[in-house]
Structure formats: C-alpha cells, structure tokens
Amino acid sequence: MRRMGLILAVLLLPLNSCNSGDNDRAKPSDGSGNSAAVEVAFPNLSFNLPLYFGHAGDNSGRLFVVEQEGVILVFDSTSATTAVDTFLDIRDRVNKAGWEEGLLGLAFHPSFETNGHFYVNYTAADPRRTVISRFTASPASTDHADKATEQIILTFSQPYSNHNGGCLEFGPDGLLYIATGDGGSGGDPQNNGQSRTTLLGKILRIDINSTEDGNQYAIPDDNPFAGATDGSRGEIFAYGLRNPWRVSFDSENGRIWTADVGQDAIEEIDIIEKGKNYGWS
C-alpha cells in the first residue's frame, strides 16, 4: 500500500529585515514577491490511497478523508491530531479490482447538520457498475455512520474497469452533480461520450430531495434534456467528457470547473456549461 500524509501549502509574506534568521532558508517564489513553502498539515496521520479531503459544512471542525478501498475517516482539524475514527467502512460493497475503481466520491447534504445525510460514489461488481448511494450518520454519534442505512439512489453499468469519474458535488442550487467517465478502455470504443442515451461521459445533475417515476431522485425541470423525446437522458447536464475526475464550484460566481483526464498527450480543464458538448471522443 502506498501511504500518504496530507500537506498544506502556506503562502508566506514577502521577506524583510524584521523577519527572523529562519527565513534565510531558500523558498520558491511565485514571481509576485511572495514565497511559497510546504508544511505537513497533520504530521501524526497517514492514509491508504486517499482520494478526497474535505469537511461536512457543519461547523464541527472535523475533516474527512476517503480511502479508495472503501473507507471514510474522520478527525479533528488540528495539527496535533493523533488519531482518526472510521466514519464509514463499506469495503465489503466496493469493488476495487482495477486501479481506477473503488470508493471515488463523497458529498455531504447541504443540511447534513440536521439530517445526517451524505452521498458516496463507488464501483461494485457482479455486474460491474457505478453506485450512487445515500447514507445517514448515527444520531448517537455523528462521527459514525451505519452502513445499514444505505439507500441506493442511482446505478449504471460500467463496461470496463477504468474511466469511472467519481466526483460528487452539491451545487449552489442545492442539486447533486455527478461526474461520470466514458466507460473505459481507450478511445471511447462505445462512443459513450457523444451518446445522450447513456449516463457515461457526462456531468449529471439530479434533485435528491424529490422522487419521481419510481426513482429515488427527480430530474430538474431546467436540465437541458429534461422531457426529451429522442432518448436523451434527462439527468444529463453536459456531455462529451472522457473521465471528469474532479469538479469544483467557484465560490465567487458559481462557475463549474472540471478536470477531465486526457488520453496520451492532452489534459483538459473545462468550465462546464448547461447542455454543452465537450467534444470527446
């Protein structure tokens, strides 16, 4: 197992004669007169294959780390922290036969502080598929979630072991955004990126606070293909993506940034717009 510690990049003020002699150490410059250094944020902790690091938005001061094999850990956000708790362990449900499979995404409900709901994205086997599920943190201790509370929201087949996307994010609109890869192999042999009849190779957007048509979610009325009669999936927000690995909402303007893993030579950073085709393959 590769073991990793989390690091924190610290922006330092410009050096001046009033600083202590410790500042004589060479530090890389970003060209602006400021200097950057790297510090170990949690020197007493290490993790196995960590893929996500964040907080629950509940002002608890806790941080969460997702480990690819199927574990979510929780700990206090102080550098002196020496121990972690297991928030959720679903290794018995997660398939990580391939390098890009596993527990790949985590998103806390905007009302997590009151309802305890959080959502995960993982790959499962027999048949090979992606699972989007909701779990609920234990009322007795929000540091633990019972895996028996799993409510499966959405599943879809994966033809190959790679290109699973995996990111989950709640947008400023309160809707859940799901990044999905093109299904894998190389060169998108099934043309999933361009096909609007499949959920693969897309950014999806669903309303998890409602249900409709027998699903554990609803399709927002303003999704670009909501109500389409040509077979296009209403869950699609944008398409033509290869393996959108991480998604982030700009806190200043709500713009959606996505890192789409490229093939052979080119990587993409895309600004995602509703209904847009990003060209893959």
Side-chain angles (χ1 to χ4, degrees), residues 211-217 219:
T211 60
E212 65 179 5
D213 299 330
N215 296 318
Q216 297 300 313
Y217 62 90
I219 294 173

Side-chain angles (χ1 to χ4, degrees), residues 9-215:
V10 181
L11 184 65
L12 302 177
L13 294 174
L15 304 183
N16 59 58
S17 59
C18 296
N19 290 328
S20 68
D22 190 46
N23 283 322
D24 291 335
R25 293 176 300 172
K27 298 182 178 70
S29 173
D30 62 5
S32 65
N34 293 326
S35 297
V38 174
E39 295 183 2
V40 178
F42 305 101
N44 303 308
L45 305 181
S46 61
F47 305 93
N48 293 323
L49 300 174
L51 298 184
Y52 169 92
F53 168 65
H55 60 82
D58 61 352
N59 300 308
S60 66
R62 299 174 302 164
L63 294 173
F64 297 81
V65 166
V66 171
E67 294 185 335
Q68 190 176 358
E69 290 191 327
V71 177
I72 302 174
L73 302 172
V74 59
F75 56 95
D76 292 330
S77 59
T78 63
S79 61
T81 297
T82 59
V84 300
D85 285 326
T86 299
F87 183 65
L88 182 71
D89 185 345
I90 53 171
R91 285 175 290 182
D92 59 340
R93 305 177 189 184
V94 171
N95 178 48
K96 195 196 166 303
W99 176 246
E100 295 180 20
E101 294 177 311
L103 177 56
L104 304 177
L106 166 66
F108 292 91
H109 193 283
S111 299
F112 171 77
E113 191 171 1
T114 56
N115 64 25
H117 295 333
F118 63 97
Y119 298 78
V120 299
N121 183 330
Y122 65 90
T123 56
D126 301 322
R128 176 178 279 134
R129 65 197 187 279
T130 284
V131 180
I132 311 297
S133 283
R134 186 190 77 193
F135 288 86
T136 303
S138 169
S141 171
T142 53
D143 282 345
H144 300 283
D146 185 350
K147 64 183 179 181
T149 64
E150 182 176 21
Q151 172 68 65
I152 295 177
I153 303 298
L154 174 65
T155 65
F156 47 91
S157 298
Q158 291 286 354
Y160 303 98
S161 65
N162 57 336
H163 301 184
N164 298 293
C167 190
L168 297 176
E169 287 285 344
F170 280 96
D173 52 13
L175 301 173
L176 183 63
Y177 291 72
I178 305 167
T180 73
D182 66 5
S185 188
D188 194 8
Q190 298 184 353
N191 197 39
N192 291 321
Q194 289 300 303
S195 173
R196 298 202 302 261
T197 64
T198 176
L199 300 182
L200 297 172
K202 313 294 190 295
I203 301 294
L204 311 178
R205 183 174 74 156
I206 60 174
D207 179 1
I208 46 75
N209 294 313
S210 302
T211 60
E212 65 179 5
D213 299 330
N215 296 318

